[in-house]
């Protein structure tokens, strides 16, 4: 993959889409948590741009955010390059569009326990499940490294994380992954993070919100 040198100056976004008990079809059997009615498939950017006026808006016209799915990083980068070329062909600044890669996520204390949990979830299905996009099963530091690599290589302008099970995976993202990225100077937590989490009765994020 080639590295987009201009990409390094762009903010790295970490968003999340919350759905039901999680994005795995067997998640409901493994948690009592449910996204409140009316907030199903709720998308929110967990990070904040340096310029408050640059907040991501999925409903902006012309489109300012494009979510993509891919099964490898090269495919994702090719999609981003094509999107930017199409925007430029329309006479717009390619940097006016933020491309986010969907990443299915399951986090554990270690990679082995995360893989074991995924096997348990998959065991509740009648057939094999094929992820719709890149899937990460492992630890918070590993996910932080993947997100950092996606940004550094110009694969995408950030990610939309799809937690396979709620709320625990979201807890780890907010309490562990975001602080790691924040500590490396790659992201800043959204000022509305606490408010958003409160909608779901969650109290995670105290560490990063206090920083």
């Amino acid at each position: 993959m080639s590295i987009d040198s201009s990409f390094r100056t762009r903010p790295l976004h970490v968003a999340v889409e919350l759905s039901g008990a999680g994005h795995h079809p067997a998640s409901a059997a493994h948690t009592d948590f449910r996204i409140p009615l009316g907030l199903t498939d709720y998308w929110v950017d967990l990070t904040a741009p340096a310029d408050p006026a640059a907040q991501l808006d999925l409903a902006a016209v012309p489109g300012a955010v494009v979510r993509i799915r891919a099964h490898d990083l090269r495919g994702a980068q090719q999609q981003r390059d094509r999107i930017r070329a199409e925007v430029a062909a329309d006479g717009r600044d390619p940097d006016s569009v933020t491309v986010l890669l969907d990443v299915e996520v399951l986090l554990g204390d270690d990679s082995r326990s995360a893989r074991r949990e995924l096997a348990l979830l998959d065991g509740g299905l009648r057939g094999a499940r094929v992820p719709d996009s890149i899937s990460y099963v492992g630890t918070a530091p590993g996910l932080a490294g993947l997100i950092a690599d996606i940004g550094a290589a110009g694969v995408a302008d950030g990610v939309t994380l799809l937690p396979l099970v709620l709320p625990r995976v979201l807890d780890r993202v907010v309490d562990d992954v975001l602080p790691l990225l924040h500590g490396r100077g790659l992201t800043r937590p959204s000022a509305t993070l606490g408010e958003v989490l409160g909608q779901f009765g969650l109290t995670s994020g105290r560490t990063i919100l206090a920083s």
Side-chain angles (χ1 to χ4, degrees):
M1 291 180 294
S2 63
I3 296 180
D4 181 349
S5 60
S6 66
F7 187 88
R8 297 180 182 276
T9 62
R10 305 202 65 204
L12 181 63
H13 292 273
V14 180
V16 64
E17 182 182 271
L18 307 177
S19 180
H23 281 269
H24 195 285
S27 59
H30 293 263
T31 176
D32 294 329
F33 183 86
R34 301 289 185 277
I35 294 299
L37 187 65
L39 293 179
T40 300
D41 297 333
Y42 184 91
W43 182 94
V44 62
D45 189 359
L46 301 177
T47 51
D51 179 2
Q55 293 286 346
L56 297 186
D57 182 0
L58 290 179
V61 179
V65 181
V66 179
R67 287 178 56 181
I68 62 173
R69 292 186 173 187
H71 290 100
D72 58 58
L73 298 183
R74 182 175 296 277
Q77 186 177 49
Q78 290 171 344
Q79 287 190 59
R80 177 179 182 265
D81 290 344
R82 183 176 66 251
I83 291 166
R84 289 175 60 84
E86 291 172 351
V87 170
D90 287 339
R92 299 167 58 200
D93 180 0
D95 284 346
S96 67
V97 174
T98 298
V99 180
L100 301 179
L101 173 62
D102 281 5
V103 180
E104 293 190 358
V105 177
L106 187 64
L107 300 177
D109 292 331
D110 52 66
S111 296
R112 180 176 296 180
S113 63
R115 290 194 298 268
R116 209 165 35 231
E117 182 176 4
L118 179 60
L120 182 63
L121 288 165
D122 286 345
L125 304 177
R126 291 187 176 181
R129 187 185 75 92
V130 179
D132 292 330
S133 189
I134 286 175
S135 178
Y136 178 82
V137 179
T139 64
L143 177 59
L146 173 63
I147 295 172
D149 288 346
I150 286 172
V155 171
D157 301 305
V159 296
T160 293
L161 301 178
L162 311 178
L164 292 183
V165 179
L166 292 171
R168 184 177 47 74
V169 175
L170 177 61
D171 289 344
R172 289 182 183 271
V173 167
V174 174
D175 288 339
D176 302 327
V177 177
L178 291 184
L180 287 170
L181 293 171
H182 183 55
R184 294 170 66 171
L186 298 177
T187 63
R188 294 192 307 158
S190 169
T192 63
L193 184 54
E195 177 184 343
V196 170
L197 294 174
Q199 295 183 65
F200 307 103
L202 303 172
T203 58
S204 299
R206 291 175 181 171
T207 301
I208 191 168
L209 287 171
S211 63

